[in-house]
Amino acid sequence: MNTCDLCDHHDARVRVLDLPLRDFGGRIGFAGIVSTIKAYEDNSLVREAVAEAGAGRVLVIDGGGSSRRAMLGDQLAAQAAANGWAGVIVFGAIRDSAAIGAMALGVKALGTCPRKTDKHGQGLRDVALAFGAVSIRPGDWVCADEDGVVFADEALA
């Protein structure tokens, strides 16, 4: 089901992300169980997460909306795709957008930045997030496509 149909059929049960995210991945539509990271200009935990089996999950990264450092690049995106992640949503920037566009991975972000992050091992995994006028918890379900991103407490059809 696409995000428009989800809103039509389950409007009271979905939370619509209010951000102008752009599509960067080779897969525009994707859905899955949410895993979260909260980190500002440090993608150490992103590297850790994408090294794990994704099992169709979607990694949601709260990068504080920063456009100064890229939280995801082609190497981490390739690892996410190889390990079975359905997608990555970044409240912040990515880099290597042309390479990521050729991958079978959904990637949405605010924009791009060629500068990589610092690596200090900072941030939090599997914590509640709040950005784009929605709350996002680990274990929530997310569906994303060309029309937007919607979150729900459980998978919807």
Side-chain angles (χ1 to χ4, degrees), residues 10-151:
H10 304 285
D11 193 51
R13 297 175 65 193
V14 297
R15 303 181 304 276
V16 178
L17 190 65
D18 184 14
L19 284 176
L21 295 181
R22 295 171 47 196
D23 288 304
F24 291 101
R27 183 182 301 157
I28 302 301
F30 56 97
I33 300 300
V34 169
S35 181
T36 64
I37 291 177
K38 183 176 182 73
Y40 185 75
E41 296 185 3
D42 183 337
N43 71 351
S44 301
L45 294 180
V46 176
R47 179 176 303 281
E48 181 182 291
V50 300
E52 300 170 0
R57 291 179 293 161
V58 175
L59 185 60
V60 179
I61 303 165
D62 180 352
S66 175
S67 60
R68 299 178 343 133
R69 304 276 180 165
M71 295 298 288
L72 181 77
D74 61 343
Q75 293 177 4
L76 296 185
Q79 193 169 19
N83 286 335
W85 289 86
V88 181
I89 297 170
V90 184
F91 179 42
I94 67 155
R95 65 189 223 155
D96 304 310
S97 60
I100 289 173
M103 296 179 193
L105 180 71
V107 177
K108 289 184 174 283
L110 289 175
T112 60
C113 177
R115 182 172 282 134
K116 64 183 178 179
T117 69
D118 293 324
K119 312 270 189 297
H120 299 295
Q122 297 176 348
L124 301 168
R125 276 192 74 181
D126 294 318
V127 296
L129 307 176
F131 60 84
V134 298
S135 62
I136 304 158
R137 295 173 310 271
D140 281 351
W141 180 77
V142 62
C143 180
D145 62 18
E146 58 276 350
D147 290 316
V149 178
V150 299
F151 292 91

